[in-house]
Amino acid sequence: MYTPQSGITPEANTDALFLTLLINRDPTSLDRIRQTSAIIPEMTAKLAGQYPDARLSSTVSFGSDAWDLLYPQSRPESLRAFPEIEDEGRLAPASAGDLLLHIRANRRDVVFQLMHDILEQLGKSILVEEEVSGFRYLDSRDLTGFVDGTENPTGDSRVSVALVGEEDSDFAAGSYIHTQRYIHHLHQWNEQPVPEQEQIIGRTKADDIEFSSEEKAPTAHIKRANIKDADGKGMEILRHSMPYGNSKEAGLLFASYCRTPLHFELMLEAMMKADEAGHYDHLMNFSTAVTGCAFFAPSVEFLKKHGSP
């Protein structure tokens, strides 16, 4: 049995940190990254034990190129680069990212402390490419004002959706992660009447009631993002997205965890690319993706095995 990293399946927290890192490619740095990654689960568990009210958890994951440098002995069978998409002026870009450190808790100070401790261990082996602090907004809403994460799996389904199984047994309990940072054009969005916003999303704004299939526009966000296979079964992902914002910009740090990258890739394509009828996700008219990274989070046992000096 393999153990998933602590940040993959738990329910949402009030605070999160998404730290995208670049690695130095010299042998000494690679050794230090492997050794630090191996003890991150232990560091997290120790701090979580000191502050149980915080519900602290973490995930460290690796991009395709970084994986080949750090762990050339074996490779998750579906690990690949982020699938950049451009269509009719809509762009989902791929951006630089070797490692993702995702820390979440119900206390921002505890999130900060774990980040600080891990970066101290990593030292000069890494460079910070992007740091985004996410927060729970009102009653779990996106900054557009709509409840976010309604489609997330619950209960045992979180495990079956997010974690690799026996289909790639050497990497069981791992997870494929995709992140995107979206900037919301809130002034433009807030100028839209609420009924128009609801048509764009596919749900009511105040009480979060999904429209019926007949009422739902073919360009509605939840229709475009709800992907089904040939048998009509939903191709789910586990979202750990969080709003972020400051005085200059605000938006969503989208984060998808899944046992396969395919579900996210098909969802992104349906959102960004127009179909034969010209339909795409009209929420993209009010939100711009500015980053895109793909990672794999291996099991705790994998990290420990390959992190020994």
Side-chain angles (χ1 to χ4, degrees):
M1 290 289 293
Y2 292 106
T3 308
Q5 293 186 54
S6 63
I8 299 178
T9 60
E11 297 287 344
N13 297 95
T14 59
D15 292 272
L17 175 70
F18 300 87
L19 204 61
T20 304
L21 307 174
L22 304 180
I23 66 174
N24 292 320
R25 271 130 166 97
D26 61 277
T28 300
S29 292
L30 296 178
D31 285 342
R32 189 162 186 173
I33 291 166
R34 281 189 290 265
Q35 291 165 18
T36 301
S37 297
I39 63 172
I40 286 175
E42 181 181 342
M43 294 171 68
T44 304
K46 181 178 179 181
L47 193 59
Q50 294 173 348
Y51 304 100
D53 62 305
R55 289 182 50 231
L56 175 68
S57 64
S58 71
T59 308
V60 60
S61 55
F62 310 89
S64 179
D65 291 344
W67 185 280
D68 290 340
L69 291 170
L70 291 163
Y71 307 114
Q73 308 92 336
S74 58
R75 181 180 170 87
E77 64 179 21
S78 297
L79 180 58
R80 48 188 177 253
F82 186 90
E84 181 168 297
I85 294 176
E86 184 172 11
D87 188 54
E88 298 179 349
R90 295 178 298 278
L91 176 64
S95 56
D98 291 325
L99 270 67
L100 175 69
L101 181 60
H102 181 193
I103 303 172
R104 53 198 189 95
N106 291 344
R107 286 179 52 174
R108 189 169 182 177
D109 58 336
V110 179
V111 170
F112 171 83
Q113 188 62 54
L114 182 58
M115 175 203 71
H116 177 270
D117 294 345
I118 293 172
L119 291 183
E120 284 282 296
Q121 291 289 329
L122 288 169
K124 295 182 179 180
S125 65
I126 56 90
L127 297 171
V128 176
E129 173 68 10
E130 183 173 69
E131 178 178 346
V132 179
S133 291
F135 53 86
R136 178 178 292 167
Y137 178 63
L138 304 179
D139 48 344
S140 299
R141 292 176 184 264
D142 179 62
L143 297 182
T144 59
F146 285 79
V147 175
D148 194 26
T150 307
E151 300 293 327
N152 254 356
T154 59
D156 293 342
S157 293
R158 295 171 74 86
V159 171
S160 61
V161 167
L163 298 181
V164 173
E166 290 305 311
E167 70 273 13
D168 190 7
S169 58
D170 288 344
F171 293 97
S175 190
Y176 292 93
I177 302 172
H178 294 85
T179 61
Q180 294 178 282
R181 182 165 64 84
Y182 283 89
I183 298 175
H184 289 347
H185 310 301
L186 291 176
H187 179 74
Q188 181 185 0
W189 174 257
N190 291 329
E191 287 182 332
Q192 310 305 309
V194 169
E196 178 64 21
Q197 292 180 359
E198 292 176 335
Q199 284 297 317
I200 292 168
I201 298 296
R203 289 180 179 275
T204 59
K205 189 172 187 177
D207 46 10
D208 191 37
I209 298 173
E210 183 173 347
F211 291 167
S212 67
S213 297
E214 295 76 19
E215 296 174 308
K216 204 177 297 173
T219 56
H221 172 65
I222 61 173
K223 187 175 186 68
R224 304 302 297 179
N226 186 9
I227 304 299
K228 292 181 169 53
D229 63 18
D231 297 323
K233 182 180 179 181
M235 302 175 74
E236 294 182 280
I237 59 172
L238 178 57
R239 294 168 174 84
H240 285 309
S241 308
M242 294 288 277
Y244 77 93
N246 53 44
S247 62
K248 295 181 180 179
E249 67 177 43
L252 182 75
L253 196 298
F254 174 87
S256 161
Y257 282 66
C258 194
R259 67 190 302 157
T260 169
L262 181 62
H263 294 188
F264 168 80
E265 292 169 352
L266 291 175
M267 183 193 74
L268 184 63
E269 185 171 321
M271 289 169 57
M272 302 299 297
K273 284 188 173 182
D275 60 20
E276 294 179 354
H279 300 142
Y280 63 92
D281 184 350
H282 280 195
L283 183 58
M284 297 301 97
N285 295 336
F286 301 90
S287 190
T288 301
V290 293
T291 66
C293 294
F295 306 95
F296 184 79
S299 67
V300 172
E301 288 79 9
F302 182 94
L303 293 173
K304 290 181 178 179
K305 177 182 177 181
H306 293 279
S308 302

